[in-house]
Amino acid sequence: NAGVTQTPKFQVLKTGQSMTLQCAQDMNHEYMSWYRQDPGMGLRLIHYSVGAGITDQGEVPNGYNVSRSTTEDFPLRLLSAAPSQTSVYFCASSDSSGANVLTFGAGSRLTVL
Amino acid sequence: GENVEQHPSTLSVQEGDSAVIKCTYSDSASNYFPWYKQELGKRPQLIIDIRSNVGEKKDQRIAVTLNKTAKHFSLHITETQPEDSAVYFCAARNAGNMLTFGGGTRLMVKP
């Protein structure tokens, strides 16, 4: 099993550009989530999903969209990138419909100029 | 929504000493409290967790205690080793299945 796979690992964007961070898991986990990690701020929940076709907003959803068309994939879209979205993004999944033991991806470092 | 506060933000101990990290949460309906360890440049990994129907849980040198009345929980690491140096995060899951993290504690164990 590959676990949770995130791509890309690094990305540099200009303000106003759009992009999608990909997240895929091969563990048949129902629960998937996206966090951003900023220095001194810990991990903040952006969006989460308890199953295919269901998504919910977390603590900091503004500027981000998600969809969950399959159990395996949970992409995070930035429609118009801003410098405030410079961060490390982690995708995580869990083996139940609730947020139990999270398995994290390796992270994606995004810089918005 | 849930608010999780974690203290201290940095903690320096001598090898062999104990380390204690404390967290408080705001949502009395929260029922699951995990702790994650993140080494430099790596992803967070679960080290121990506790559910609301348990007051204490221990795994070798690591223990977690939960006081639901006071809405706080703590991580205890005994006989610290240099490889314990990392950032530790507490978290709380509320009834809406949102897992909210504390701000993290950077633990430094001096040999």
Side-chain angles (χ1 to χ4, degrees), chain A residues 4 31 35 37 42-43 45 48 50 57-59 90 97-102 104-106, chain B residues 2 32 36 38 42-46 49 51 89 93 96-104:
Chain A
V4 178
Y31 184 93
Y35 288 86
Q37 184 171 34
L43 294 149
L45 182 64
Y48 66 104
V50 298
Q57 296 182 348
E59 304 166 78
F90 285 99
S97 60
N100 285 326
V101 179
L102 289 178
F104 281 85
Chain B
E2 175 73 277
Y32 174 66
Y36 285 81
Q38 186 178 29
K42 302 287 184 63
R43 71 195 78 184
Q45 291 193 307
L46 180 81
D49 57 9
R51 300 187 187 274
F89 293 99
R93 183 186 70 188
N97 282 328
M98 280 181 54
L99 191 66
T100 302
F101 283 80

Side-chain angles (χ1 to χ4, degrees), chain A residues 70-98:
Chain A
T70 67
T71 299
E72 294 77 22
D73 300 297
F74 191 45
L76 179 72
R77 297 183 185 86
L78 286 72
L79 298 179
S80 179
S84 60
Q85 294 178 304
T86 293
S87 188
V88 178
Y89 292 84
F90 285 99
C91 179
S93 69
S94 167
D95 64 355
S96 71
S97 60

Side-chain angles (χ1 to χ4, degrees), chain B residues 16-45:
Chain B
D17 287 350
S18 295
V20 180
I21 303 170
K22 299 181 179 181
C23 288
T24 61
Y25 61 98
S26 61
D27 189 344
S28 57
S30 290
N31 56 16
Y32 174 66
F33 308 92
W35 287 87
Y36 285 81
K37 176 183 179 182
Q38 186 178 29
E39 297 176 347
L40 190 63
K42 302 287 184 63
R43 71 195 78 184
Q45 291 193 307

Side-chain angles (χ1 to χ4, degrees), chain B:
Chain B
E2 175 73 277
N3 182 43
V4 179
E5 295 193 357
Q6 183 172 346
H7 299 281
S9 56
T10 60
L11 179 60
S12 182
V13 300
Q14 208 67 36
E15 182 178 359
D17 287 350
S18 295
V20 180
I21 303 170
K22 299 181 179 181
C23 288
T24 61
Y25 61 98
S26 61
D27 189 344
S28 57
S30 290
N31 56 16
Y32 174 66
F33 308 92
W35 287 87
Y36 285 81
K37 176 183 179 182
Q38 186 178 29
E39 297 176 347
L40 190 63
K42 302 287 184 63
R43 71 195 78 184
Q45 291 193 307
L46 180 81
I47 55 171
I48 196 167
D49 57 9
I50 192 168
R51 300 187 187 274
S52 58
N53 58 348
V54 175
E56 183 173 357
K57 184 177 179 180
K58 189 174 181 181
D59 183 3
Q60 299 182 339
R61 296 186 297 109
I62 294 173
V64 58
T65 58
L66 171 64
N67 184 327
K68 285 218 70 179
T69 303
K71 289 188 285 187
H72 68 71
F73 55 114
S74 300
L75 177 71
H76 305 253
I77 305 175
T78 58
E79 302 172 18
T80 54
Q81 301 166 3
E83 51 265 39
D84 294 330
S85 296
V87 178
Y88 291 81
F89 293 99
C90 64
R93 183 186 70 188
N94 66 9
N97 282 328
M98 280 181 54
L99 191 66
T100 302
F101 283 80
T105 296
R106 181 173 300 279
L107 174 64
M108 294 170 284
V109 180
K110 300 177 184 177

Side-chain angles (χ1 to χ4, degrees), chain A residues 9-10 16 29 50 53 60 68 85 90 101-102 104 106 109 112:
Chain A
K9 292 192 185 312
F10 301 95
H29 284 177
V50 298
V60 289
R68 185 88 183 275
Q85 294 178 304
F90 285 99
V101 179
L102 289 178
F104 281 85
R109 183 175 294 276
V112 183

